[in-house]
Structure formats: structure tokens, C-alpha cells
Amino acid sequence: MSHTYQFKYIIIGDAAVGKSCLMLNFIDKRFRAEHDLTIGVEFGSKIIDAEGIKIKLQIWDTAGSESFKSITRSYYRSAAGALLVYDITRKDSFNHLSEWLNEARFNGNPSMAITLVGNKYDLEDSRVISYEEGLRYAKDNNLGFLETSALSGHNVNQAFVDTAQAIIEKINSGT
Ligand code: GDP
């Protein structure tokens, strides 16, 4: 299948928020139940269709652990898009968003399209961050926003497609 665009994405956020599971769910619709601390960077690739435009996405799943940040930095530079992930059941992962955002904006392309992703939507009973809180943070920081579940697959594809559409809009508007 031929494609018109090729975009690089990074997935960032605290450890254990579900970054690897989101990538796995997106790439092969499979959920990995075991937690396996990501070491360094994992890579995946998939071609998507965003309103008739075929786009090849190359995705780097970065480690959430502080000790890997220096490795991760080199990946920010070439990324056109980012998924910034928190866990709706863990307040600390939400509180750390600004650190991740600063990291991405400082090290990355200033026009990078960033989508805020509140993951573990299926754990409604344990939710501590409301949808409205997530949305407000996204609006205040000029980010896209979705809640996802890497377990059920809810909104996973949409998160990647929305980011691609935001990149295309930036390209078309010359920003
Ligand atoms: P990462 O460190 O951010 O890459 O996180 P992982 O993808 O390794 O996931 C961390 C843990 O959360 C694992 O035990 C996963 O099984 C679990 N997990 C990830 N996404 C979801 C989700 O959407 N819902 C639920 N219930 N668990 C999830």
C-alpha cells in the first residue's frame, strides 16, 4: 500500500501509564497484560488512513523512567507528533504532565502536534482525574485530547489519527 506522508511519533509520559500497551494495541490490536518495564525505546510502524490520506506512522515508545530521559531526548528532535499519556487512576502521572511537556517543547520541534491521552478509561471505578480536568489541561496547553483504554481499544486508533490530522493542519497552514 503506497502512502503520501510519513510521520514520526513519540509516546511519552510516566512509567506504567500504558504507553507500550497503547502502541501494541494500535499496531496489532493485542493487549499485553504483563507489565514489562520498557528499556530505552521500542519501535513500531503502521500505515493509517486519515480522511482518505494514507500516512505511514513510525512510533517510538519511550521509557517513562527518569534514568532514560537522556536516551529519549534524541528522539524528540525528529518527531512530528507526540502522545503525552497519563493514567486517569493516578494523580501523580497527571501532575507530571508539565514536566513532560517542557521536555518535549524544549527538545523537540516547536511545531510538534501533541495529543494528551488519559489512558485506562476502562478503570472508571478507580478514576481520580475527571474528563473535564484532562480537557481543561489540554485546552490551556494547546493540545488535542482523548481518553483511551489500551485494554478495550477505546479511542486508541483515534488518538493516532487525530495527531496525524493535527500535523497535516499545521503543514497546510504553514505553522
Ligand atoms: P508503560 O510503562 O507506560 O509503557 O506502561 P505499560 O504499557 O507497560 O502498562 C503498564 C501497566 O498498565 C500494565 O500492567 C498494563 O497491563 C496496564 N495497562 C496499560 N493500559 C491499560 C488500560 O488501558 N487499562 C488497564 N486496565 N490497564 C492498562
Side-chain angles (χ1 to χ4, degrees):
M1 188 162 58
S2 67
H3 47 274
T4 313
Y5 290 105
Q6 181 163 309
F7 296 150
K8 291 181 180 173
Y9 280 21
I10 48 172
I11 309 182
I12 54 177
D14 277 9
V17 295
K19 299 182 298 297
S20 298
C21 290
L22 283 167
M23 180 164 90
L24 285 174
N25 186 284
F26 174 64
I27 302 251
D28 54 24
K29 293 281 166 235
R30 173 167 64 89
F31 181 76
R32 188 176 53 167
E34 291 295 308
H35 176 58
D36 174 10
L37 183 69
T38 314
I39 306 292
V41 176
E42 288 174 7
F43 176 80
S45 170
K46 185 173 173 174
I47 295 169
I48 59 162
D49 190 314
E51 291 177 0
I53 303 170
K54 288 195 176 31
I55 306 163
K56 183 174 185 186
L57 299 184
Q58 294 185 305
I59 303 148
W60 284 286
D61 164 26
T62 66
S65 164
E66 290 289 320
S67 58
F68 297 121
K69 274 196 176 162
S70 60
I71 301 172
T72 308
R73 276 202 185 102
S74 60
Y75 289 90
Y76 282 108
R77 257 169 257 137
S78 55
L83 301 192
L84 171 57
V85 186
Y86 67 94
D87 175 343
I88 66 160
T89 72
R90 271 178 45 215
K91 191 144 186 71
D92 57 335
S93 71
F94 187 77
N95 290 342
H96 294 155
L97 287 176
S98 294
E99 287 169 40
W100 285 106
L101 204 50
N102 289 341
E103 185 88 2
R105 295 223 159 116
F106 182 73
N107 294 294
N109 178 342
S111 66
M112 180 160 44
I114 305 175
T115 301
L116 180 64
V117 174
N119 190 42
K120 309 198 186 177
Y121 174 81
D122 55 289
L123 298 179
E124 186 56 44
D125 291 348
S126 318
R127 177 195 283 274
V128 295
I129 305 295
S130 69
Y131 179 85
E132 289 70 25
E133 270 179 279
L135 185 62
R136 194 176 323 120
Y137 186 90
K139 282 193 170 158
D140 288 348
N141 291 281
N142 202 19
L143 312 171
F145 178 60
L146 278 174
E147 287 189 340
T148 60
S149 169
L151 176 59
S152 74
H154 175 77
N155 270 345
V156 174
N157 200 60
Q158 202 60 44
F160 288 87
V161 171
D162 280 7
T163 309
Q165 279 166 343
I167 296 167
I168 292 171
E169 277 170 31
K170 281 172 186 277
I171 292 170
N172 290 341
S173 68
T175 56

